[in-house]
Amino acid sequence: MISMPRFVALVEVWLKEGLVDAEGKSVKEALNDMGYSVINVRVGKVYRIEIEAESKERAEYLIDEICRRLLANPVKDRYKFSVHEA
Amino acid sequence: MISMPRFVALVEVWLKEGLVDAEGKSVKEALNDMGYSVINVRVGKVYRIEIEAESKERAEYLIDEICRRLLANPVKDRYKFSVHEA
């Protein structure tokens, strides 16, 4: 059995621009109260995924599928990712 | 009154490597159950912060301070960030 190459993906998941980011708003207000001239804050999640795949192209295909199937809610989220060899 | 330049910082906050990332473990197991050859998953938070500052160097100083004072818990978290002009 030949082991497949490993890749590392970094995935960011953010609320879509039009939606109110309540956590970001709270962080902004806390920072303003602390004296920082912060204009806006948005909060997202980031996933570091190690995955086996035949090629980088296949890894990118799988990560995109994973985003759509599990990590991002298409109604409210947008996502972006990069993949590199482990 | 002269308005200050604006900068955008992207901050990632992750659990330190030695600590068990329960959410990452759950995501890994869900992906394995779905048939993906995922080896490891870690989950973090990402903040997009717009801030006013005199210079890029000053913005970097302020963002580092914000990480230490509010966004990252030094006992369990590590953070990294980049700053660019808005």
Side-chain angles (χ1 to χ4, degrees):
Chain A
M1 180 175 162
I2 300 166
S3 71
M4 280 197 287
R6 290 192 181 182
F7 297 89
V8 173
L10 274 177
V11 179
E12 293 176 13
V13 180
W14 300 90
L15 278 177
K16 285 182 180 174
E17 286 299 330
L19 300 178
V20 174
D21 179 344
E23 187 178 356
K25 197 161 174 285
S26 295
V27 172
K28 177 199 178 292
E29 285 166 8
L31 291 172
N32 290 157
D33 289 347
M34 291 162 78
Y36 296 103
S37 295
V38 166
I39 312 300
N40 191 43
V41 177
R42 292 188 73 84
V43 184
K45 300 196 85 159
V46 58
Y47 299 86
R48 184 186 180 282
I49 302 174
E50 283 183 64
I51 190 168
E52 290 183 335
E54 293 83 354
S55 65
K56 187 179 174 190
E57 289 67 30
R58 177 68 180 158
E60 287 171 340
Y61 176 89
L62 292 171
I63 294 295
D64 191 63
E65 195 175 69
I66 284 170
C67 288
R68 286 182 285 108
R69 291 183 69 190
L70 188 71
L71 303 183
N73 176 341
V75 176
K76 65 175 187 60
D77 296 328
R78 65 186 176 82
Y79 63 89
K80 57 185 284 193
F81 64 83
S82 62
V83 172
H84 61 271
E85 284 187 47
Chain B
M1 183 175 161
I2 300 165
S3 70
M4 279 197 287
R6 290 191 182 184
F7 297 89
V8 173
L10 274 178
V11 179
E12 292 175 15
V13 180
W14 300 88
L15 278 177
K16 286 182 180 173
E17 287 299 329
L19 299 179
V20 174
D21 179 345
E23 189 179 354
K25 197 160 173 285
S26 295
V27 173
K28 177 198 178 290
E29 283 165 9
L31 290 172
N32 290 157
D33 289 347
M34 291 162 78
Y36 296 102
S37 295
V38 166
I39 312 300
N40 191 43
V41 177
R42 292 189 74 85
V43 183
K45 300 197 86 160
V46 58
Y47 299 85
R48 183 186 181 282
I49 302 174
E50 283 183 66
I51 191 168
E52 290 183 335
E54 293 83 353
S55 65
K56 186 179 175 190
E57 289 66 31
R58 178 67 180 161
E60 287 171 341
Y61 176 88
L62 292 171
I63 293 296
D64 190 65
E65 196 175 69
I66 284 169
C67 289
R68 286 182 285 108
R69 290 184 69 190
L70 188 71
L71 303 183
N73 175 340
V75 176
K76 66 176 187 59
D77 296 327
R78 64 185 177 84
Y79 63 88
K80 57 186 284 194
F81 64 83
S82 62
V83 172
H84 62 271
E85 284 188 46

